[in-house]
Amino acid sequence: MTTARDLAILALDTAGDRPVDQGEVSLALAAAEILDLVGAGAVVLDGDHIVPNAQAPTGDRLLDEAAAALVRQQPYESVEDWLWRRGRGLSSAYVDDLERIGLTTRPRGRMLPLRSARTVLVDSPARRAAEERRAAGEPVLAALAATAGIGDEPATEAVGDTATTVLAVVGDAVMELEAVRQRKAIENAAFDNLWRGV
């Protein structure tokens, strides 16, 4: 299993207990993909730029899709640009993929509309492995989970230069996403107040 898939499983598992923001999860999944691709030897980081190596299948459909989406000409894409580009809708892609490979199910019943049934994880070796990684406090997974809002901030632990770079960039991206949300909320409130005053 990849870090990205484990993170998707943890996010889906947590979503049953409390709301999880899809934008933050998508950014964290895109960061996890970069770290998985580094681990697979498909990319290296040059500063904060993603430099692809020869493309080889990873055995994971979404990770292979991510590798195929890399910018392969100079100047290579920055981690930040990758997160925003690749992260768009990525949490939904992972939920769909987990369902496709049989790791989730939707409760069935006569009273449930087709699209309103919440996706539920099934008991599987993949789910247990993700939970074991979380319980073990694996530092990269713990940091990505915290960034996605599905875990507590882990104790600071050395994770290597590449992971440190990616985690710092995704942390900044999540803060930028929150700032944009707050700005939109303020603008919408001002607009509503303007219309009420007319």
Side-chain angles (χ1 to χ4, degrees), residues 2 4 6 69 77-78 80 105 113 123 132-133 139 161 178 180:
T2 65
D6 285 348
E77 191 169 33
S78 70
E80 180 182 11
T105 187
D123 187 29
E132 285 170 11
R133 278 184 79 186
D161 292 344
E178 182 56 31
V180 168

Side-chain angles (χ1 to χ4, degrees), residues 12 95 98-100 102-108 117-123:
L12 197 53
V95 169
L98 291 174
E99 186 171 5
R100 182 187 65 80
L103 295 180
T104 64
T105 187
R106 291 182 187 264
R108 305 225 188 271
R118 190 174 74 77
T119 301
V120 178
L121 287 164
V122 297
D123 187 29

